[in-house]
Amino acid sequence: MNTLLNVCNKSKELSPTTYICSMMKLLLRNEITIAILGALLFIPFIGNVHLFDWDEINFAESAREMIATGNYFSVQINYARFTEKPPLFFWMQVLSMKTFGINEFAARFPNAFCGIFTLIILFRIGKKIYNEQVARIWVMVYLGTLFTFLYFKSGIIDPWFNLFIFLAIYYFYTSIISATQKIKYAILVGFFLGLAVLTKGPVAILIALLCYTTFVVINRFNFFISFKTFFTILLSCFAVCFAWFGIDLIKNGPTFIVEFTQRQIAIFSTSDADHGEPFFYHWWVLLIGCFPASVFFIRGHLISTGNKEQRIFKLWMLILFWVTLLLFSIVKTKIIHYSSLCWFPLTFLAALYINEFWEGRIKKLPIVLQILFSIVGLLLGIAITIIPFVLMLKDKWINRVDDVFARGNLEANVQWNWADGIGGILVIAAVIYFLISKKNVLKTQLLFVSLTVCCFLTAVIIAPKIEAISQRANVEFFESKKGENCYVETYGYRSYAQYFYTQKPPFVNDSTKTENWYLHGKIDKPVYFSAKIHDKEILDTMSQLQFLYSKNGFVFYKREPEK
């Protein structure tokens, strides 16, 4: 606190460059200040937006059903066994919901905490392997990168999954360079790999094995670790995995493992859930979604300075990046967050390049990267800036939208203001200043600070309005049925919102109660249906259904039981 007061008191005597650099150094001076900064950025407002279908609501509902049934061992959806994910992340959400209640804040809080923990880990690793400046830059880059920031304000599994894999890779690297305590590090490798498996599945082991195999091949088949160390890793990983997978196998038989394996094979071999994208999909995702780190990363490959331990760590980061990117470029199902493990090595190599930039060993970006930086940065800033203007003028173009559901979404009563896009204006200004200024340290800091502020404003201002357009009318309908003795179902599309937002009480899931039963069977209580507006003509032909209302692309019906 005294240091902060001293900086503030001297601010009038310092140049703007020196003052900003001093403040940045102060904010990222140690783990405590980084934790406070992370908490201020990641925790506020995480509960002011409804959970998004599918993943956020899916995971939160599984945690809620654990609490509702008191069965914390099995993962469920609609009170039927859910075999697509292991339970570790849901246990985190359960603890959060026990603390904060069953709501959006509680569902997202584990990832906000993960964000704080991640920043501290990056600082400590960067400081240990390189120096404090590299550590600060790495934290600054991670905070000032679009996807890495927004991820920690979400309620999906991947932030913890990626962190556990990254820690396993780090401790594997440590076991290689360390002359002592190899067994200790081997136990930690297996421990974090096991946690990753309990979070999302054995793809964590696949990634780790591919990275290790690549490292061995690059080093001319020098295996670096003894059989004893390798066996320790396997035993440690097996012990953690057995804590749930093994007990479940003994208790319930191989059902979970078989169905889970079939699901993983389907994701790898087929285009699932309309997420079939071209091979280079994730390459573009990383370039745009991880701007500006992605541009610095391209040149970060070429940084060759450092001692032996630093070069080995850089090699591990390169291997982790390319193994992850190529693996998920081959996988048929492509979703944005599948390549998110790349963000650790991407931001690290970007930090290395920026460090060289600050130290004067690199004078400026090559002209090709300046052009790429300009195109991506300005387009991203312009896109964020004009979203409010485009939607403020929607009356002039909305009738040209052919998709009746999308047009209905856009009819939502959302008040946009030009100031909603101020984050984009900051990005545009920072990109231009970066290109024209010769003050390498200042312009880089301002660039990443502007992205951090832009991400925060996007999460607080724009995300709630996008949610209001895309799903709020539907979620509010489900919320209105909370506590009512009824069935609430969807027609023509898949959702988990009707379970979470009606707080559906426990029941014995009956596989005979299909959509056809709810529509035509002998029901014992009212059934409410949500559908997209393009299915209205079909539902209107069903005389047993009573049309309630339509709103923002959704239509709602009710069926009463026969008397």
Side-chain angles (χ1 to χ4, degrees), residues 138-306:
W138 197 357
V139 172
M140 177 188 73
V141 171
Y142 217 83
L143 275 174
T145 298
L146 185 65
F147 280 174
T148 57
F149 184 98
L150 295 177
Y151 229 37
F152 297 126
K153 297 181 84 71
S154 75
I156 63 176
I157 285 176
D158 297 78
W160 281 104
F161 178 66
N162 294 336
L163 180 60
F164 290 143
I165 296 176
F166 174 72
L167 285 171
I169 295 293
Y170 168 71
Y171 281 112
F172 201 102
Y173 151 82
T174 306
S175 72
I176 289 174
I177 66 167
S178 176
T180 59
Q181 297 184 308
K182 288 185 177 292
I183 296 301
K184 169 189 170 182
Y185 295 127
I187 292 172
L188 289 172
V189 172
F191 175 74
F192 284 112
L193 271 183
L195 291 180
V197 172
L198 286 180
T199 303
K200 199 173 181 181
V203 68
I205 296 176
L206 173 63
I207 292 171
L209 284 176
L210 288 173
C211 287
Y212 173 64
T213 302
T214 305
F215 185 76
V216 168
V217 171
I218 290 174
N219 287 278
R220 300 180 182 181
F221 293 92
N222 183 346
F223 288 88
F224 290 96
I225 60 173
S226 66
F227 176 78
K228 180 180 179 181
T229 302
F230 190 75
F231 180 75
T232 302
I233 293 172
L234 290 180
L235 185 62
S236 175
C237 182
F238 176 80
V240 175
C241 293
F242 188 84
W244 186 79
F245 280 98
I247 296 173
D248 181 73
L249 178 64
I250 295 170
K251 184 178 178 181
N252 300 311
T255 304
F256 180 91
I257 294 176
V258 171
E259 293 183 5
F260 179 81
T261 303
Q262 291 172 342
R263 172 62 178 163
Q264 304 310 303
I265 293 172
I267 290 173
F268 272 75
S269 60
T270 61
S271 176
D272 180 68
D274 298 323
H275 290 294
E277 303 292 347
F279 179 85
F280 289 102
Y281 171 79
H282 287 297
W283 303 56
W284 288 106
V285 165
L286 292 173
L287 175 63
I288 298 170
C290 291
F291 177 85
S294 55
V295 178
F296 296 114
F297 159 81
I298 294 172
R299 287 287 291 186
H301 281 76
L302 304 179
I303 303 298
S304 58
T305 58

Side-chain angles (χ1 to χ4, degrees), residues 234-482:
L234 290 180
L235 185 62
S236 175
C237 182
F238 176 80
V240 175
C241 293
F242 188 84
W244 186 79
F245 280 98
I247 296 173
D248 181 73
L249 178 64
I250 295 170
K251 184 178 178 181
N252 300 311
T255 304
F256 180 91
I257 294 176
V258 171
E259 293 183 5
F260 179 81
T261 303
Q262 291 172 342
R263 172 62 178 163
Q264 304 310 303
I265 293 172
I267 290 173
F268 272 75
S269 60
T270 61
S271 176
D272 180 68
D274 298 323
H275 290 294
E277 303 292 347
F279 179 85
F280 289 102
Y281 171 79
H282 287 297
W283 303 56
W284 288 106
V285 165
L286 292 173
L287 175 63
I288 298 170
C290 291
F291 177 85
S294 55
V295 178
F296 296 114
F297 159 81
I298 294 172
R299 287 287 291 186
H301 281 76
L302 304 179
I303 303 298
S304 58
T305 58
N307 58 37
K308 181 180 178 181
E309 293 178 0
Q310 292 168 349
R311 291 195 298 272
I312 292 174
F313 183 75
K314 182 198 168 190
L315 177 59
W316 270 105
M317 292 296 96
L318 283 169
I319 291 170
L320 178 61
F321 177 86
W322 287 108
V323 164
T324 303
L325 180 58
L326 293 175
L327 176 64
F328 289 104
S329 294
I330 294 170
V331 168
K332 296 295 184 181
T333 299
K334 293 181 175 66
I335 303 175
I336 286 177
H337 57 259
Y338 279 14
S339 59
S340 56
L341 181 57
C342 290
W343 302 347
F344 282 105
L346 185 151
T347 53
F348 165 73
L349 290 166
L352 275 192
Y353 183 81
I354 293 169
N355 184 62
E356 296 294 299
F357 196 47
W358 286 11
E359 292 295 321
R361 290 185 284 271
I362 297 172
K363 300 301 182 184
K364 62 180 181 179
L365 281 174
I367 189 65
V368 174
L369 289 189
Q370 287 188 46
I371 294 171
L372 182 62
F373 179 87
S374 304
I375 293 172
V376 177
L378 292 176
L379 286 178
L380 183 63
I382 291 169
I384 296 171
T385 302
I386 67 171
I387 286 174
F389 290 96
V390 171
L391 292 171
M392 283 167 63
L393 301 172
K394 66 182 180 181
D395 291 343
K396 299 183 181 298
W397 53 265
I398 191 171
N399 290 330
R400 299 178 187 176
V401 178
D402 293 331
D403 188 299
V404 64
F405 177 66
R407 189 164 65 246
N409 287 166
L410 290 166
E411 290 172 352
N413 184 22
V414 178
Q415 299 301 315
W416 291 90
N417 187 287
W418 70 269
D420 294 341
I422 195 170
I425 296 173
L426 288 174
V427 172
I428 293 170
V431 168
I432 294 172
Y433 182 75
F434 184 89
L435 293 169
I436 64 176
S437 174
K438 297 184 184 299
K439 299 176 180 179
N440 290 352
V441 177
L442 176 64
K443 70 182 186 181
T444 310
Q445 289 180 336
L446 287 177
L447 176 68
F448 282 99
V449 169
S450 73
L451 262 294
T452 302
V453 174
C454 176
C455 292
F456 186 83
L457 293 176
T458 299
V460 173
I461 298 173
I462 295 181
K465 296 184 178 184
I466 296 297
E467 189 270 334
I469 292 172
S470 63
Q471 66 170 30
R472 188 174 298 169
N474 200 33
V475 170
E476 288 177 345
F477 174 77
F478 296 140
E479 286 180 317
S480 72
K481 306 308 168 193
K482 180 181 176 181

